[in-house]
Each structure stands twice: as C-alpha cells, then as structure tokens.
Amino acid sequence: MTDNPKDLTDAEWRERLTPEQYHVLREAGTERAFTGQYDKHYEEGEYTCAGCGTVLFESDTKYNSGCGWPAFTKPESDAKIEEKRDVSFGMIRTEVLCANCGGHLGHVFPDGPQDQGGMRYCINSLSLDFEGKDED
C-alpha cells in the first residue's frame, strides 16, 4: 500500500471503502438528507476522513443546522481541508475536500451561526468516521 492516499488506484479505493462511501468520497456523491449516522450525533470526540483517517472536525464545532447532514462551524485547526468552486447541477457552491486524500466531503455555505464565524460546513456522514474522546 502507498504512503500517499492520493496515489491509490481506483481498485484500491473500491477495496478500502464501502460502495456508498466510494460514491461520496471518490465520485462527489451526496447521501440523502437525514439518513447519515452522524446527522444527530453529538458525542465528544473527533470526526476523521473515512478515506484516510485525517482529523477534520472537532465535536465542539458541530451543531444542528436542520439541513439533514452533519454541520460544523469550522474545520479542526490543523485539518487538511481544501475548498474549491463547484458549478455542478446549475449551482455555484464551494466544495469541501480532504486535502490528504482528495475525498469529497460536502460543501460549505455562509449561512452558519453568525456568532461562530457564519460558516456551515455541510458534510456527508459517509465521508466521516468518529473517534470518541478517551476517558481517563
């Protein structure tokens, strides 16, 4: 296996991910609203990329936006996140990708809580894994 997830072949990605995760992370798909396991998930911990394990979001930035997908006010401070213009489906949006593996995560919109920066990172549950906070 390669050290750089961006060097994985399509076959390696298909082996690593479920078909649903592959569709979201590698084909820029979107899971149906209100169906993802992390939409109403509020445990303490870190949300990581399901493709490569990179830490993306902290639980204290997650909130219930009512949009049907996990929503965060900002990425984790050291997160490797890329944003790029997305003009698919006749819309102009900003796509959010994992900079470490290139996986599609979701989109970011400027309609989040104003007292927390005003951004809403709308992320597919299928693109995430969760690591709960260790209790000592």
Side-chain angles (χ1 to χ4, degrees), residues 53-108:
T54 297
V55 175
L56 301 171
F57 300 95
E58 298 287 341
S59 59
D60 62 355
T61 65
K62 188 172 187 305
Y63 71 103
N64 183 6
S65 70
C67 69
W69 292 275
F72 302 87
T73 56
K74 64 182 179 182
E76 194 269 335
S77 61
D78 294 327
K80 294 181 177 180
I81 297 252
E82 288 181 1
E83 296 179 10
K84 75 174 195 178
R85 183 180 165 107
D86 176 3
V87 294
S88 62
F89 304 107
M91 297 181 273
I92 299 173
R93 304 178 289 178
T94 302
E95 180 181 14
V96 179
L97 302 128
C98 174
N100 192 52
C101 71
H104 170 79
L105 303 172
H107 292 86
V108 61

Side-chain angles (χ1 to χ4, degrees), residues 2-129:
T2 177
D3 288 337
N4 184 351
K6 287 186 176 180
D7 292 337
L8 290 173
T9 66
D10 186 63
E12 288 171 320
W13 278 118
R14 288 182 186 276
E15 187 176 310
R16 178 181 279 204
L17 303 170
T18 67
E20 294 83 8
Q21 287 174 316
Y22 180 88
H23 176 64
V24 170
L25 284 162
R26 308 314 307 168
E27 299 177 322
T30 301
E31 66 196 10
R32 283 191 344 224
F34 303 103
T35 64
Q37 70 176 350
Y38 298 124
D39 179 32
K40 301 285 189 210
H41 182 263
Y42 296 102
E43 292 178 31
E44 284 188 51
E46 299 175 326
Y47 292 86
T48 62
C49 176
C52 68
T54 297
V55 175
L56 301 171
F57 300 95
E58 298 287 341
S59 59
D60 62 355
T61 65
K62 188 172 187 305
Y63 71 103
N64 183 6
S65 70
C67 69
W69 292 275
F72 302 87
T73 56
K74 64 182 179 182
E76 194 269 335
S77 61
D78 294 327
K80 294 181 177 180
I81 297 252
E82 288 181 1
E83 296 179 10
K84 75 174 195 178
R85 183 180 165 107
D86 176 3
V87 294
S88 62
F89 304 107
M91 297 181 273
I92 299 173
R93 304 178 289 178
T94 302
E95 180 181 14
V96 179
L97 302 128
C98 174
N100 192 52
C101 71
H104 170 79
L105 303 172
H107 292 86
V108 61
F109 303 96
D111 60 3
Q114 292 304 304
D115 64 338
Q116 294 179 34
M119 302 308 286
R120 173 174 55 100
Y121 286 81
C122 183
I123 307 298
N124 290 284
S125 287
L126 286 166
S127 67
L128 300 172
D129 282 327

